[in-house]
Amino acid sequence: MRHPIRPIHVLPLLASALLIPLAMAARAHDNAEAKPVSPIYGVSLPDGYRQWELIAPAVESEPLNELRAVVGNSKAMQAYRRGALPFPDGTVLVKLAWQRTPSSEFAPASIPGPATTVQVMIKDSRKYAATGSWGFGRFVGGRPVDEAQHRTCFACHEARVKAHDFVFTRFAP
């Protein structure tokens, strides 16, 4: 004998089918907004930046004694390859830095030691008009450093590389 489906039995299933995806979407939205952002600029670590192309490596001598690598998103890479300045809006540059450590296998070489900072520059001429169209973020252990350190970012870039659209890094083809 068939049992008729009563509307009262379907409602809990229908409610579950609708509410669970909504709750999951809300949780994902909350997690996306929970990314740490830099003071002043509101810059966060970009998704997938560790897979971006290398623009150039660098060595910072004393006092920091760091090995560095600068990577860029596709807009940055296109601009570097064209030799185009200023960089277009949407350009994102990320500098990764590690303590420079002597290699135990090859004495003249240095290798990356512990990570020190990840620094981000984002080009947005409207949002960052007051700072040469660039927003800055400096992160240690995935967390932004304090506001005082972020206040030094643009001043340093403006004093030294204003003629190169406030960017230190040159492309190493």
Side-chain angles (χ1 to χ4, degrees):
M1 171 189 269
R2 286 180 65 182
H3 295 284
I5 297 176
R6 295 185 181 147
I8 194 89
H9 293 144
V10 175
L11 287 176
L13 292 174
L14 185 58
S16 293
L18 292 173
L19 294 177
I20 289 172
L22 288 174
M24 290 173 66
R27 189 174 316 145
H29 179 70
D30 289 345
N31 288 342
E33 289 186 30
K35 283 178 96 172
V37 297
S38 66
I40 305 171
Y41 302 99
V43 169
S44 63
L45 291 170
D47 292 332
Y49 71 91
R50 295 295 300 245
Q51 284 73 48
W52 290 357
E53 285 188 68
L54 177 69
I55 295 167
V59 174
E60 176 90 16
S61 297
E62 296 302 325
L64 297 177
N65 197 31
E66 291 179 332
L67 293 176
R68 296 174 169 193
V70 177
V71 297
N73 69 354
S74 61
K75 284 197 177 208
M77 298 310 298
Q78 290 168 9
Y80 270 110
R81 287 190 176 103
R82 285 192 323 266
L85 287 179
F87 289 92
D89 277 5
T91 295
V92 183
L93 307 172
V94 177
K95 177 175 29 177
L96 299 99
W98 303 267
Q99 249 179 17
R100 192 169 70 178
T101 305
S103 170
S104 60
E105 290 91 14
F106 187 60
S110 294
I111 60 171
T116 56
T117 65
V118 176
Q119 297 176 39
V120 181
M121 288 179 67
I122 297 177
K123 182 79 177 260
D124 185 327
S125 58
R126 290 185 183 167
K127 186 173 183 179
Y128 304 117
T131 52
S133 299
W134 291 97
F136 300 88
R138 182 170 184 219
F139 300 84
V140 174
R143 309 292 309 166
V145 297
D146 64 19
E147 185 174 326
Q149 288 186 57
H150 279 90
R151 290 204 181 281
T152 67
C153 296
F154 180 64
C156 182
H157 286 250
E158 183 178 39
R160 292 176 172 85
V161 286
K162 185 175 183 177
H164 196 258
D165 196 21
F166 306 100
V167 175
F168 283 96
T169 304
R170 303 307 190 268
F171 187 47

